[in-house]
Amino acid sequence: MNIVIIGASGYSGAELAQLVAKHPHFVLQGCYVSAGSHDRDKKLSDLYPQHRGLLDMPLQGLTADAIADIGQHVHAVCLCTEHKVSVELAPQFLEQGIKVFDLSGGFRLTDAELYTQYYGFDHPHPELLRQAVYGLAEWHNSAIMDAQLVAVAGCYPTASLNALKPVQQAGLLAPQQKVIINAVSGVTGAGRKANMNTHFCEVSLAPYGVFNHRHTPEVEQALGHPVLFTPHLGNFNRGILATIYAQVNAGTTLTDITDAYQCLADEPLIRLLGAGGLASIKGVAQTPYVDIGWHLQQQQLIISVAIDNLLKGASGQALQCMNINAGLDPTTGLV
Ligand SMILES: NC(=O)C1=CN([C@@H]2O[C@H](COP(=O)(O)OP(=O)(O)OC[C@H]3O[C@@H](n4cnc5c(N)ncnc54)[C@H](OP(=O)(O)O)[C@@H]3O)[C@@H](O)[C@H]2O)C=CC1
Ligand SMILES: CC(=O)N[C@@H](CCC(=O)OP(=O)(O)O)C(=O)O
């Protein structure tokens, strides 16, 4: 299968490019940046020297001609572009019959009005929100198999939902009680473009997006339970660590919680750390896994979960969705 990556010079794009280049069944057909990019015509490996010999192809400009040419030669495109760019590009590929795996949040929410509120733009293609399949790989396997457009789940939502859905599905979460998600991300989560907030000398450890981060509606939509989500930026490169506080129904035991997580026990990319387990950035950075541990005291459940934001939180999960869609083992090229 021929694959093209748009936004290949970015952090998630380059990560996905190296995964596809090493994949036993996919062919990396082309790597693109915007038509006016200052990285156009540079080798991808000049930007990412750790991939010399693997990613020596030039970054091509995404012109109108390039979009038409991709339509002739490619099975799937991966959009590793910001939300506003993805929502304009996806329909241009879909109408040429090409599958689209979008790493942005542009097609994750079903309610178009939430884009105005949380993303700051009116969604130009609300009809595609009904067609898009949410790419939370362990939970939407059969829908991903048949999808033309996969909206790969967000990084914080991937950690939060894999931690919470087993407990929610088992009916253990106390109704009306908001679940509190406190999460810290490494700086690659903010993308490669220079920005004062991610400047080496400015980054420390601080919350942001209080009450209004776009991952709040994404988690609530997929969980079916209200949450209070507060992200933090930490001074490390890769990884997300979340500590999640949830009230469970009276009478819930630690065994009930442990039993609820058994629905993930056979998932190869989920590592259940068990009761008392504590996830860490060190345990997941540069890996495709989700690590989950849990603790219960009376009705207070605390869940500890970690992922690598660029692998399970973006490119790794995108490849997992592409594998599922192609009828391959979901872990092909990942473990
Ligand atoms: N970083 C992360 O941990 C995660 C990111 N995501 C999502 O993935 C997407 C990409 O994120 P990330 O890799 O961090 O972003 P980056 O800012 O690192 O990269 C963005 C890429 O898009 C390219 N680009 C910008 N405009 C266009 C355009 N009009 N046409 C084609 N290419 C364009 C950029 O190159 P140039 O500007 O030179 O053209 C660059 O290659 C975002 O939507 C983000 O929300 C999702 C989960 C986690
Ligand atoms: C540290 C940091 O800035 N993280 C980004 C989230 C990562 C990302 O790109 O978000 P999606 O998963 O929705 O695509 C943010 O908070 O906007």
Side-chain angles (χ1 to χ4, degrees):
M1 276 183 66
N2 292 333
I3 311 289
V4 147
I5 297 185
I6 317 257
S9 68
Y11 285 148
S12 63
E15 191 71 32
L16 189 51
Q18 63 92 13
L19 289 173
V20 173
K22 292 178 188 160
H23 195 281
H25 303 292
F26 297 158
V27 175
L28 183 57
Q29 178 82 19
C31 287
Y32 290 82
V33 288
S34 59
S37 171
H38 62 266
D39 290 322
R40 184 172 174 172
D41 299 328
K42 288 181 189 165
K43 284 184 194 170
L44 185 46
S45 58
D46 284 345
L47 274 51
Y48 294 91
Q50 67 271 38
H51 297 313
R52 275 196 198 116
L54 182 73
L55 299 178
D56 293 335
M57 67 285 285
L59 291 162
Q60 303 174 61
L62 191 69
T63 58
D65 284 351
I67 291 174
D69 187 57
I70 289 169
Q72 302 298 310
H73 301 106
V74 165
H75 296 100
V77 297
C78 302
L79 301 178
C80 302
T81 43
E82 64 181 81
H83 324 292
K84 239 181 147 170
V85 173
S86 285
V87 294
E88 297 296 348
L89 288 178
Q92 299 180 52
F93 294 110
L94 290 170
E95 67 197 20
Q96 298 185 79
I98 299 172
K99 296 193 176 185
V100 173
F101 296 84
D102 180 27
L103 278 72
S104 89
F107 296 98
R108 294 181 197 148
L109 302 176
T110 50
D111 179 354
E113 284 180 16
L114 290 173
Y115 281 93
T116 316
Q117 186 183 343
Y118 283 96
Y119 283 76
F121 63 84
D122 294 336
H123 203 290
H125 296 284
E127 73 287 355
L128 290 178
L129 299 177
R130 286 186 292 277
Q131 183 189 326
V133 170
Y134 188 53
L136 187 68
E138 279 74 12
W139 296 88
H140 298 284
N141 193 293
S142 55
I144 293 167
M145 230 176 249
D146 297 330
Q148 283 294 120
L149 169 58
V150 175
V152 181
C155 48
Y156 291 116
T158 293
S160 307
L161 290 166
N162 279 300
L164 283 165
K165 277 176 81 74
V167 189
Q168 158 74 348
Q169 199 175 257
L172 302 177
L173 288 182
Q176 319 304 341
Q177 300 277 348
K178 280 195 177 189
V179 169
I180 297 171
I181 304 169
N182 279 337
V184 190
S185 171
V187 185
T188 53
R192 183 166 178 267
K193 206 182 295 164
N195 175 328
M196 187 52 73
N197 294 333
T198 56
H199 185 294
F200 183 80
C201 301
E202 299 297 325
V203 174
S204 63
L205 174 59
Y208 66 99
V210 173
F211 285 130
N212 61 17
H213 196 280
R214 64 183 187 285
H215 288 171
T216 298
E218 184 178 332
V219 173
E220 289 183 339
Q221 174 183 289
L223 185 63
H225 194 96
V227 301
L228 248 181
F229 165 61
T230 310
H232 299 67
L233 187 68
N235 60 357
F236 52 94
N237 286 354
R238 291 174 73 131
I240 285 180
L241 177 73
T243 307
I244 301 177
Y245 305 83
Q247 290 288 315
V248 292
N249 292 320
T252 302
T253 64
L254 191 56
T255 306
D256 294 333
I257 303 288
T258 301
D259 287 350
Y261 280 106
Q262 293 317 298
C263 66
L264 291 175
D266 295 329
E267 290 294 345
L269 297 182
I270 307 271
R271 299 190 298 198
L272 298 177
L273 308 182
L278 292 171
S280 69
I281 296 290
K282 189 176 178 185
V284 294
Q286 310 277 354
T287 82
Y289 299 109
V290 187
D291 281 359
I292 310 172
W294 51 91
H295 306 247
L296 185 70
Q297 201 170 68
Q298 284 93 44
Q299 282 176 258
Q300 182 66 63
L301 173 66
I302 299 183
I303 311 168
S304 175
V305 57
I307 60 168
D308 180 295
N309 57 300
L310 291 178
L311 282 167
K312 187 62 182 176
S315 309
Q317 183 151 242
L319 194 76
Q320 200 180 347
C321 292
M322 291 157 71
N323 284 332
I324 293 169
N325 190 262
L328 300 170
D329 182 304
T331 64
T332 310
L334 285 168
V335 291

